[in-house]
Amino acid sequence: MSHRLPDFPSVPALLQEFESDLAQAKSPRDAQTVRDKWLGRKKGEVAKLMDSIAQVPPEEKKKIGRLANELKQALEARWARHLEVTEATARPADAVDVTLPGRVPELGHRHPLTVVRDRMEEIFTRMGFAIVEGPEVEDEWHCFDALNMPADHPARDMQDTLYLATPIRGESGRAEDVRTLLRTHTSSMQIRYMQAHQPPVRIVVPGRVYRRDDLDLTHSPAFSQIEGLAVGEGLSLADLKGTLLAFARQMFSPTVRIRFRPSFFPYTEPSAEIDLSCWQCDGAGCAMCKRTGWIELGGCGMVHPTVFEAVGYDAERYTGFAWGIGIERVAILRHQVEDIRLFYENDLRFLEQFPY
Ligand SMILES: [Zn+2]
């Protein structure tokens, strides 16, 4: 078979043909078929041209070879350009549009009780109090005895206190004689701190406490307090009142007034309930203060000398004051939340109302 060399089309003409084949391709798959038709290793046009070299006279071989190479290079270059263009313009429907603004991840925020606790800590820290934390599992001595609550004290009753089945090793090292419990107040940390430090003392102790209570509108078996303790020479009830007033004015309202109502706690003498003038009605009486003009905040008093004796402080030389304020109580007052349970249920519909 003789090759029809004289009318063999030129490279530009063949390239043109390839071009129009490509233009008709409707999909990447079609385009690949066109490519194979021309550049296929065995049956492509270029391959056929190469094969034909064997049948042409020796003087023509070189010419055909060069033609085939030129065509091959031209087609490959064109194919490479075709791929570049289609890849750059191809964009599946779900591709990322890099020009759109990014999706901002949804951030959580602090729990309202944490916000209140942080704020309380901040106020007391500015007044010179150090923040101290202690164990929630306590022994009876730190939680009761040292706080002037002897064995027959009603607060130690099984009905109020959650005792643990497993004892912890006490100071004496004898595990068997130490009854353990979940602390009923943060005051146990007063004892631990005073045992380890000499006056002057100025600490606040935030933390969770436990009582044998059923969960209802105003009670929870676990809640949190901020305990305060100051010990030094010459501290008086006036210092206590001034400290709490300064706190209340920063926490609630700059015009709030304070009132002490006589009360009783075994570990303070005298003891008082802390009332604040209602900052919503300024004492005139409203729903928040239940028409009384006053709002209960917590308990306080001057440290009982017996407590100083328990920790080895000189009760003749030192005086001190202490208070306990419920963190939930403050949160309820600040946010007008009626039901304490809302703070523990972690319902986002509730929590999202406090986006700090
Ligand atoms: Zn009021």
Side-chain angles (χ1 to χ4, degrees), residues 278-291 293-295:
C278 179
W279 50 93
Q280 240 177 38
C281 63
D282 196 29
C286 69
M288 187 169 95
C289 59
K290 298 189 184 81
R291 313 278 154 206
W294 293 93
I295 288 169

mmCIF file of all heavy atoms in Angstrom, residues 278-291 293-295, ligand 1:
data_model
loop_
_atom_site.group_PDB
_atom_site.id
_atom_site.type_symbol
_atom_site.label_atom_id
_atom_site.label_comp_id
_atom_site.label_asym_id
_atom_site.label_seq_id
_atom_site.Cartn_x
_atom_site.Cartn_y
_atom_site.Cartn_z
ATOM 1 N N CYS A 278 -34.568 47.977 98.571
ATOM 2 C CA CYS A 278 -34.949 47.549 97.226
ATOM 3 C C CYS A 278 -34.542 48.622 96.210
ATOM 4 O O CYS A 278 -34.945 49.776 96.320
ATOM 5 C CB CYS A 278 -36.448 47.309 97.154
ATOM 6 S SG CYS A 278 -36.998 46.805 95.523
ATOM 7 N N TRP A 279 -33.721 48.203 95.238
ATOM 8 C CA TRP A 279 -33.227 49.183 94.271
ATOM 9 C C TRP A 279 -34.218 49.416 93.139
ATOM 10 O O TRP A 279 -34.004 50.271 92.298
ATOM 11 C CB TRP A 279 -31.868 48.781 93.711
ATOM 12 C CG TRP A 279 -31.802 47.374 93.218
ATOM 13 C CD1 TRP A 279 -32.018 46.940 91.956
ATOM 14 C CD2 TRP A 279 -31.478 46.215 93.995
ATOM 15 N NE1 TRP A 279 -31.869 45.583 91.890
ATOM 16 C CE2 TRP A 279 -31.532 45.105 93.124
ATOM 17 C CE3 TRP A 279 -31.164 46.004 95.342
ATOM 18 C CZ2 TRP A 279 -31.276 43.803 93.559
ATOM 19 C CZ3 TRP A 279 -30.898 44.698 95.760
ATOM 20 C CH2 TRP A 279 -30.954 43.627 94.880
ATOM 21 N N GLN A 280 -35.318 48.653 93.168
ATOM 22 C CA GLN A 280 -36.300 48.883 92.117
ATOM 23 C C GLN A 280 -37.336 49.928 92.525
ATOM 24 O O GLN A 280 -37.777 50.724 91.719
ATOM 25 C CB GLN A 280 -36.988 47.573 91.746
ATOM 26 C CG GLN A 280 -36.748 47.290 90.287
ATOM 27 C CD GLN A 280 -37.339 45.983 89.835
ATOM 28 O OE1 GLN A 280 -38.419 45.575 90.252
ATOM 29 N NE2 GLN A 280 -36.623 45.339 88.956
ATOM 30 N N CYS A 281 -37.693 49.923 93.809
ATOM 31 C CA CYS A 281 -38.710 50.876 94.270
ATOM 32 C C CYS A 281 -38.119 51.848 95.274
ATOM 33 O O CYS A 281 -38.832 52.697 95.829
ATOM 34 C CB CYS A 281 -39.882 50.130 94.889
ATOM 35 S SG CYS A 281 -39.411 49.204 96.364
ATOM 36 N N ASP A 282 -36.825 51.711 95.556
ATOM 37 C CA ASP A 282 -36.124 52.545 96.538
ATOM 38 C C ASP A 282 -36.826 52.518 97.895
ATOM 39 O O ASP A 282 -36.932 53.531 98.585
ATOM 40 C CB ASP A 282 -35.984 53.986 96.013
ATOM 41 C CG ASP A 282 -34.924 54.768 96.808
ATOM 42 O OD1 ASP A 282 -33.982 54.106 97.318
ATOM 43 O OD2 ASP A 282 -35.051 55.999 96.934
ATOM 44 N N GLY A 283 -37.326 51.347 98.251
ATOM 45 C CA GLY A 283 -37.899 51.184 99.587
ATOM 46 C C GLY A 283 -39.393 51.409 99.680
ATOM 47 O O GLY A 283 -39.993 51.181 100.727
ATOM 48 N N ALA A 284 -40.009 51.852 98.596
ATOM 49 C CA ALA A 284 -41.445 52.155 98.631
ATOM 50 C C ALA A 284 -42.298 50.890 98.654
ATOM 51 O O ALA A 284 -43.437 50.921 99.124
ATOM 52 C CB ALA A 284 -41.821 53.019 97.440
ATOM 53 N N GLY A 285 -41.740 49.773 98.150
ATOM 54 C CA GLY A 285 -42.509 48.533 98.091
ATOM 55 C C GLY A 285 -42.905 48.183 96.672
ATOM 56 O O GLY A 285 -43.561 48.983 95.991
ATOM 57 N N CYS A 286 -42.467 47.026 96.209
ATOM 58 C CA CYS A 286 -42.820 46.572 94.863
ATOM 59 C C CYS A 286 -42.846 45.045 94.872
ATOM 60 O O CYS A 286 -42.654 44.423 95.916
ATOM 61 C CB CYS A 286 -41.817 47.104 93.833
ATOM 62 S SG CYS A 286 -40.171 46.369 93.982
ATOM 63 N N ALA A 287 -43.076 44.455 93.701
ATOM 64 C CA ALA A 287 -43.174 42.998 93.628
ATOM 65 C C ALA A 287 -41.853 42.337 93.990
ATOM 66 O O ALA A 287 -41.815 41.306 94.660
ATOM 67 C CB ALA A 287 -43.618 42.574 92.230
ATOM 68 N N MET A 288 -40.747 42.939 93.558
ATOM 69 C CA MET A 288 -39.444 42.307 93.781
ATOM 70 C C MET A 288 -39.134 42.186 95.276
ATOM 71 O O MET A 288 -38.600 41.186 95.718
ATOM 72 C CB MET A 288 -38.329 43.086 93.064
ATOM 73 C CG MET A 288 -36.992 42.372 93.133
ATOM 74 S SD MET A 288 -35.749 43.097 92.046
ATOM 75 C CE MET A 288 -34.919 44.188 93.178
ATOM 76 N N CYS A 289 -39.489 43.227 96.050
ATOM 77 C CA CYS A 289 -39.189 43.196 97.484
ATOM 78 C C CYS A 289 -40.395 42.716 98.284
ATOM 79 O O CYS A 289 -40.426 42.852 99.507
ATOM 80 C CB CYS A 289 -38.731 44.563 97.955
ATOM 81 S SG CYS A 289 -39.934 45.887 97.672
ATOM 82 N N LYS A 290 -41.378 42.170 97.595
ATOM 83 C CA LYS A 290 -42.614 41.668 98.216
ATOM 84 C C LYS A 290 -43.254 42.742 99.100
ATOM 85 O O LYS A 290 -43.661 42.480 100.238
ATOM 86 C CB LYS A 290 -42.340 40.404 99.018
ATOM 87 C CG LYS A 290 -41.827 39.251 98.152
ATOM 88 C CD LYS A 290 -41.776 37.947 98.945
ATOM 89 C CE LYS A 290 -41.174 36.808 98.145
ATOM 90 N NZ LYS A 290 -39.701 36.815 98.108
ATOM 91 N N ARG A 291 -43.255 43.969 98.593
ATOM 92 C CA ARG A 291 -43.880 45.123 99.256
ATOM 93 C C ARG A 291 -43.201 45.543 100.555
ATOM 94 O O ARG A 291 -43.756 46.340 101.304
ATOM 95 C CB ARG A 291 -45.374 44.868 99.555
ATOM 96 C CG ARG A 291 -46.165 44.288 98.418
ATOM 97 C CD ARG A 291 -46.623 45.335 97.443
ATOM 98 N NE ARG A 291 -46.812 44.749 96.121
ATOM 99 C CZ ARG A 291 -46.727 45.421 94.985
ATOM 100 N NH1 ARG A 291 -46.458 46.706 94.997
ATOM 101 N NH2 ARG A 291 -46.893 44.834 93.823
ATOM 102 N N GLY A 293 -39.953 46.710 100.798
ATOM 103 C CA GLY A 293 -38.928 47.723 100.596
ATOM 104 C C GLY A 293 -37.518 47.207 100.860
ATOM 105 O O GLY A 293 -36.543 47.915 100.641
ATOM 106 N N TRP A 294 -37.425 45.962 101.351
ATOM 107 C CA TRP A 294 -36.106 45.383 101.665
ATOM 108 C C TRP A 294 -35.926 44.034 100.995
ATOM 109 O O TRP A 294 -36.883 43.305 100.780
ATOM 110 C CB TRP A 294 -35.937 45.236 103.182
ATOM 111 C CG TRP A 294 -35.878 46.552 103.887
ATOM 112 C CD1 TRP A 294 -36.934 47.215 104.443
ATOM 113 C CD2 TRP A 294 -34.734 47.381 104.077
ATOM 114 N NE1 TRP A 294 -36.511 48.409 104.973
ATOM 115 C CE2 TRP A 294 -35.164 48.534 104.773
ATOM 116 C CE3 TRP A 294 -33.371 47.273 103.738
ATOM 117 C CZ2 TRP A 294 -34.286 49.569 105.125
ATOM 118 C CZ3 TRP A 294 -32.503 48.290 104.101
ATOM 119 C CH2 TRP A 294 -32.958 49.421 104.774
ATOM 120 N N ILE A 295 -34.692 43.712 100.699
ATOM 121 C CA ILE A 295 -34.371 42.443 100.050
ATOM 122 C C ILE A 295 -33.303 41.708 100.859
ATOM 123 O O ILE A 295 -32.260 42.275 101.200
ATOM 124 C CB ILE A 295 -33.878 42.705 98.605
ATOM 125 C CG1 ILE A 295 -35.071 43.144 97.749
ATOM 126 C CG2 ILE A 295 -33.202 41.486 98.020
ATOM 127 C CD1 ILE A 295 -34.690 43.685 96.413
HETATM 128 ZN ZN ZN B 1 -39.120 47.027 95.880
#
